[in-house]
Amino acid sequence: GENVGLHLPTLSVQEGDNSIINCAYSNSASDYFIWYKQESGKGPQFIIDIRSNMDKRQGQRVTVLLNKTVKHLSLQIAATQPGDSAVYFCAESTSNYGGATNKLIFGTGTLLAVQP
Amino acid sequence: DTAVSQTPKYLVTQMGNDKSIKCEQNLGHDTMYWYKQDSKKFLKIMFSYNNKELIINETVPNRFSPKSPDKAHLNLHINSLELGDSAVYFCASSQQDEGYTGWSYGYTFGSGTRLTVV
């Protein structure tokens, strides 16, 4: 696929295991964070978001943890399935522009490879 | 029922040409964006519009001119295309939270336009 040869950080897990994808963000003033999943040939797909007044948020099979002290974000995927194979991006945003918009600053991306 | 749709999906053109990419969202969002993804998968914002008003222009060359005829549409016109413009361009939209300055709901991306300049 198009991800071959990209040299992204890669996490390889067995089907059924839990996955943890980590992200270090850059701006201590960032107050809104989103995790996206991008499959080959598709656009980024929203997974889960979290605001800076929270340190944990859960969705269906996914949990996002936010540690503002060390500027770290993680995405936990429970019981990883082959369909979870994709590139995962964290994105941070800051409340400026008078609330009219949110500029997302994306991390590098992590390739999750699920082995059947 | 596509939420954010952009056309065309693929665009191959010669250097020096002018081309446009169109984007429409049916989510009722008030903010739209253009992002560029390079060959290393790095995603970077180019422009943002809120209710047809340009809010962010992220030091993009002025060969790139966005146009928002209404809040559901944000088109991108590129003049004098260069080899370095080859990338995947993503349109996105979001709804701004009126109750708290700066937070967004439903930040949604389109499926991308792969532009190849030869």
Side-chain angles (χ1 to χ4, degrees):
Chain A
E2 66 176 29
N3 293 328
V4 173
L6 267 180
H7 301 294
L8 287 172
T10 300
L11 175 64
S12 188
V13 300
Q14 290 294 125
E15 182 179 357
D17 287 351
N18 296 334
S19 302
I20 299 176
I21 301 172
N22 295 304
C23 175
Y25 64 91
S26 56
N27 188 353
S28 56
S30 291
D31 54 10
Y32 179 57
F33 306 87
I34 309 178
W35 278 101
Y36 283 94
K37 171 187 180 183
Q38 187 176 23
E39 296 173 280
S40 187
K42 297 185 179 178
Q45 177 189 353
F46 177 95
I47 301 173
I48 191 167
D49 60 0
I50 189 167
R51 300 178 178 180
S52 56
N53 61 350
M54 305 170 73
D55 51 24
K56 180 178 179 178
R57 190 161 188 229
Q58 287 186 287
Q60 190 177 11
R61 279 202 309 121
V62 294
T63 300
V64 55
L65 299 177
L66 174 63
N67 184 331
K68 295 183 288 294
T69 304
V70 295
K71 294 189 287 186
H72 184 267
L73 201 63
S74 69
L75 176 71
Q76 300 177 4
I77 304 174
T80 315
Q81 302 165 1
D84 295 326
S85 294
V87 177
Y88 288 80
F89 293 95
C90 66
E92 59 182 299
S93 182
T94 311
S95 308
N96 48 20
Y97 307 105
T101 187
N102 274 109
K103 176 172 79 172
L104 292 183
I105 298 178
F106 282 82
T108 313
T110 296
L111 177 61
L112 176 65
V114 182
Q115 312 300 325
Chain B
D1 59 344
T2 304
V4 179
S5 58
Q6 49 184 115
T7 55
K9 189 167 174 63
Y10 299 97
L11 187 51
V12 181
T13 188
Q14 290 189 322
M15 274 196 309
N17 283 350
D18 304 338
K19 289 293 177 187
S20 291
I21 308 172
K22 296 187 175 183
C23 179
E24 175 181 6
Q25 54 96 2
N26 62 6
L27 298 165
H29 289 169
D30 53 17
T31 303
M32 295 185 72
Y33 311 82
W34 278 109
Y35 281 81
K36 179 180 179 180
Q37 188 171 46
D38 64 20
S39 58
K40 292 185 169 58
K41 290 283 194 181
F42 184 64
L43 267 159
K44 191 173 191 303
I45 191 166
M46 300 172 69
F47 300 103
S48 175
Y49 272 73
N50 177 275
N51 279 314
K52 303 191 296 175
E53 183 184 348
L54 178 66
I55 306 295
I56 295 175
N57 180 341
E58 198 72 2
T59 61
V60 178
N62 58 15
R63 296 183 297 105
F64 290 78
S65 51
K67 279 191 173 51
S68 182
D70 55 61
K71 74 173 195 176
H73 295 84
L74 180 62
N75 304 321
L76 183 65
H77 187 76
I78 316 170
N79 288 328
S80 304
L81 277 154
E82 300 176 358
L83 292 176
D85 297 331
S86 295
V88 183
Y89 292 84
F90 288 100
C91 178
S93 72
S94 68
Q95 180 62 37
Q96 301 312 109
D97 179 4
E98 293 179 6
Y100 186 99
T101 300
W103 284 346
S104 295
Y105 288 102
Y107 213 119
T108 305
F109 282 78
S111 55
T113 295
R114 182 175 291 277
L115 171 65
T116 304
V117 183
V118 297

